[in-house]
Amino acid sequence: MKKKSWIAYSLAAACVAAAVISVCLGDTYISPFQVFQSFVGKGSDTNTMIIEMLRLPRIATALLVGASLAVAGSILQDIVRNPMASPEMLGVTGGASAAAVAFLTFAAGTVSIRWLPVSALAGAGIVSLVLYLFAWKRGVTSMRLILIGVGMSALMSGATTMMIVFNPKNDAGQAYTWLTGSVYAANWENVLLLLPWTIILLPLTMLMTRHVNIAQLGDDIATSSGSRVQLNRFILLMISVALAGSAVSVGGGIGFVGLLAPHMARKLIGANFKRVMPVSAMLGAIIVMLADLIGRTAFLPLDVPAGVFTAAIGAPFFIYLLYARRNES
């Protein structure tokens, strides 16, 4: 127990350290002392503007997006009992992406771009409801959810590609950047959009811890223990969709965070969801913050989307998982 507590404290410290380093580094280097001066109101106007208007909202957005995607992935992996489950696999990310690209293709220029996150969130919600309806047959089983989710993901990917190809405005650059995933130009409005979802849904997920742990044992055991399997699965799925949809609506299609973070958490802390959830959240936040930091500092003056780096780590990890499961079977 003591070792696991130290792991959690160390990750919390790493999360703070990643945020501090991200505040300091960029086109203009600002020392930690200068950052402190700006926080207490004694810094230069230029440094204060850079920190408060450019870097802090971007860091806060990366933190919230990473934590939300990680918790969404940990919920999905436990309720469907599949270590490769993630918002991408079940089509949640695909639904949000398709809705966002549709907005950029058909509504941008006539409707305020501020409605883009709302359209992406609506897309994730609609796809998840369709997925659940198609998977329902005297209840929803984990296998049907996965199989139909993979199909929905492929369908959304095809629809997204078609809209980009036939975009009459030929404005594919913005769509591709959004699909890759980036917190570039994030502002406090983005933070305020994400914050209520995070504040409400993370504690709600903790309240559902017992049902998540029981779901890992299988439907028959969960039912015999008195758990309302179908109702709890639906509630947890909707929480996961809301977390992933809100994150994608602001950060775009930052991939593999919901796959990576829960696996890393279980390796560090064990399988108890009560511990896995907060550790996954911190790991997800660290992954996205560091990916964004590398993207905006390693290739100056270019600003590379954070999703490029999460994919560079996540794709090989996904292949490793497939290989490991094949050897187990």
Side-chain angles (χ1 to χ4, degrees), residues 59-85:
I59 292 164
T61 301
L63 188 152
L64 293 172
V65 166
S68 296
L69 288 173
V71 173
S74 63
I75 293 172
L76 288 176
Q77 288 175 14
D78 282 342
I79 64 173
V80 304
R81 301 190 300 280
N82 189 319
M84 290 180 290

Side-chain angles (χ1 to χ4, degrees), residues 69 92 96 117 120-121 124 240-250:
L69 288 173
V92 177
L121 187 57
S240 177
V241 167
L243 284 169
S246 61
V248 173
S249 71
V250 171

Side-chain angles (χ1 to χ4, degrees), residues 19-44:
V20 171
I21 293 170
S22 295
V23 172
C24 295
L25 299 183
D27 287 339
T28 302
Y29 173 72
I30 303 175
S31 70
F33 179 69
Q34 290 174 315
V35 171
F36 175 76
Q37 284 184 313
S38 295
F39 280 154
V40 296
K42 297 182 179 180
S44 69

Side-chain angles (χ1 to χ4, degrees), residues 4-295:
K4 292 176 180 179
S5 297
W6 274 110
I7 289 172
Y9 295 145
S10 299
L11 285 173
C15 197
V16 173
V20 171
I21 293 170
S22 295
V23 172
C24 295
L25 299 183
D27 287 339
T28 302
Y29 173 72
I30 303 175
S31 70
F33 179 69
Q34 290 174 315
V35 171
F36 175 76
Q37 284 184 313
S38 295
F39 280 154
V40 296
K42 297 182 179 180
S44 69
D45 291 341
T46 300
N47 286 348
T48 301
M49 187 275 293
I50 291 173
I51 292 169
E52 292 184 358
M53 303 307 297
L54 300 178
R55 294 185 184 172
L56 278 181
R58 186 165 179 168
I59 292 164
T61 301
L63 188 152
L64 293 172
V65 166
S68 296
L69 288 173
V71 173
S74 63
I75 293 172
L76 288 176
Q77 288 175 14
D78 282 342
I79 64 173
V80 304
R81 301 190 300 280
N82 189 319
M84 290 180 290
S86 66
E88 295 91 350
M89 175 174 282
L90 291 188
V92 177
T93 301
S97 299
V101 172
F103 179 90
L104 293 172
T105 302
F106 303 111
T110 58
V111 180
S112 172
I113 196 68
R114 293 183 178 182
W115 288 96
L116 175 61
V118 177
S119 65
L121 187 57
I126 291 169
V127 166
S128 64
L129 288 174
V130 172
L131 165 66
Y132 201 84
L133 288 174
F134 282 165
W136 181 272
K137 186 179 179 181
R138 294 189 298 275
V140 174
T141 65
S142 301
M143 182 57 67
R144 282 203 301 271
L145 208 56
I146 284 287
L147 291 176
I148 296 174
V150 170
M152 289 295 294
S153 180
L155 179 63
M156 291 299 102
S157 177
T160 302
T161 303
M162 183 175 293
M163 282 186 287
I164 291 175
V165 170
F166 291 101
N167 186 349
K169 300 173 185 176
N170 198 24
D171 188 21
Q174 187 178 7
Y176 276 124
T177 300
W178 197 92
L179 289 171
T180 304
S182 174
V183 291
Y184 174 76
N187 53 45
W188 289 115
E189 189 174 327
N190 298 133
V191 176
L192 293 176
L193 179 67
L194 265 175
L195 198 58
W197 295 92
T198 310
I199 290 176
I200 294 171
L201 293 175
L202 292 190
L204 183 58
T205 304
M206 285 299 291
L207 293 176
M208 299 289 291
T209 295
R210 173 178 172 272
H211 301 296
V212 178
N213 285 331
I214 291 176
Q216 297 177 32
L217 303 175
D219 291 359
D220 292 338
I221 295 176
T223 302
S224 63
S225 69
S227 176
R228 301 176 68 180
V229 174
Q230 297 302 329
L231 177 61
N232 291 330
R233 179 173 290 152
F234 178 77
I235 293 172
L236 287 164
L237 179 62
M238 290 302 105
I239 292 173
S240 177
V241 167
L243 284 169
S246 61
V248 173
S249 71
V250 171
I254 298 177
F256 294 103
V257 177
L259 178 71
L260 278 168
H263 278 280
M264 295 168 66
R266 291 188 192 96
K267 288 288 185 182
L268 290 171
I269 210 88
N272 188 336
F273 188 78
K274 187 175 182 178
R275 299 191 186 100
V276 167
M277 195 214 89
V279 171
S280 292
M282 287 187 285
L283 284 168
I286 292 169
I287 289 170
V288 177
M289 279 195 292
L290 291 180
D292 180 58
L293 176 63
I294 294 170

